[in-house]
Amino acid sequence: ISVSGAGAEATNIILGSTTAYISESSINHYGDINVEARDSSTIDATIVGVAFSFGPGIGASIGAGVTQNLIGWKAATYGEKATSEPVEVKAYIQSSKVEATGVLTIDAQSRQVITAKDWAIAVALSKSVEPGGAGSGAGASAYNKVKVEVSAYASDNRKGIDLDRVIIKAKDDSEITAIAVGGSLAGSFAPQGG
């Protein structure tokens, strides 16, 4: 009897926040004013689980690959679901007086990228002059989630914002690319007598 097994597991987590702001201030500026918050995070994970068995009689092989990639989430534990803790990207002016001769830009931008490749391969072969057999199984799992809160604003500025032009913008450009492949092969053969 020949038996083999292989497994690979990885958990990747990104949390945090990025904030740019003017608060409870008085600003008099010649030219443009830029309040910008930018956050760019990347997870690139490749998981490979390979199992191979070869022997007389009976052969069995199991391969598994599991990856968990989270941005703005805390990892799921056994029996529990992942809990959200969003990545925050904020740009704002609050409770301030702002005067300038140019343009005021309040800009928050987020780009979160997850690329996950998960491969599980199992091969079992048996060789015997007696009755024999071979069995194999493989499984691959990729669990990916992104949660981001992006905001840009001006609030409670009763002292006034005096500019020719104000631009306020918020953008989230996130993407997930996932490949999960499980493959198994089993074979049993007996030599022919002459």
Side-chain angles (χ1 to χ4, degrees):
I1 297 174
S2 176
V3 178
S4 71
E9 188 274 337
T11 298
N12 304 292
I13 302 170
I14 295 176
L15 302 172
S17 64
T18 302
T19 305
Y21 65 92
I22 297 172
S23 180
E24 298 187 13
S25 302
S26 180
I27 296 175
N28 192 318
H29 177 69
Y30 182 83
D32 297 337
I33 296 176
N34 298 310
V35 182
E36 298 181 348
R38 301 178 187 273
D39 182 89
S40 178
S41 301
T42 300
I43 294 175
D44 191 343
T46 300
I47 303 298
V48 180
V50 178
F52 177 80
S53 70
F54 177 76
I58 298 173
S61 180
I62 298 174
V66 178
T67 178
Q68 184 174 218
N69 303 299
L70 308 171
I71 298 177
W73 291 84
K74 288 187 175 179
T77 55
Y78 293 104
E80 302 289 334
K81 294 182 178 180
T83 56
S84 68
E85 188 171 312
V87 171
E88 292 187 344
V89 184
K90 296 194 296 184
Y92 64 89
I93 296 178
Q94 181 174 288
S95 305
S96 298
K97 180 179 181 180
V98 180
E99 296 176 300
T101 60
V103 177
L104 168 64
T105 301
I106 304 173
D107 184 11
Q109 295 193 31
S110 168
R111 177 164 172 75
Q112 315 297 322
V113 178
I114 294 177
T115 302
K117 303 179 188 73
D118 193 355
W119 307 86
I121 300 169
V123 177
L125 300 174
S126 69
K127 174 184 176 182
S128 177
V129 294
E130 301 294 332
S136 68
S141 171
Y143 181 70
N144 308 291
K145 295 185 81 170
V146 175
K147 189 166 187 179
V148 186
E149 293 180 356
V150 185
S151 58
Y153 59 90
S155 70
D156 194 25
N157 296 294
R158 287 170 284 184
K159 297 176 182 178
I161 294 180
D162 184 11
L163 298 108
D164 290 337
R165 188 179 177 201
V166 177
I167 299 172
I168 299 176
K169 55 184 177 178
K171 181 182 180 183
D172 175 46
D173 184 15
S174 298
E175 65 181 63
I176 295 174
T177 302
I179 299 172
V181 177
S184 66
L185 173 66
S188 177
F189 60 97
Q192 296 285 330

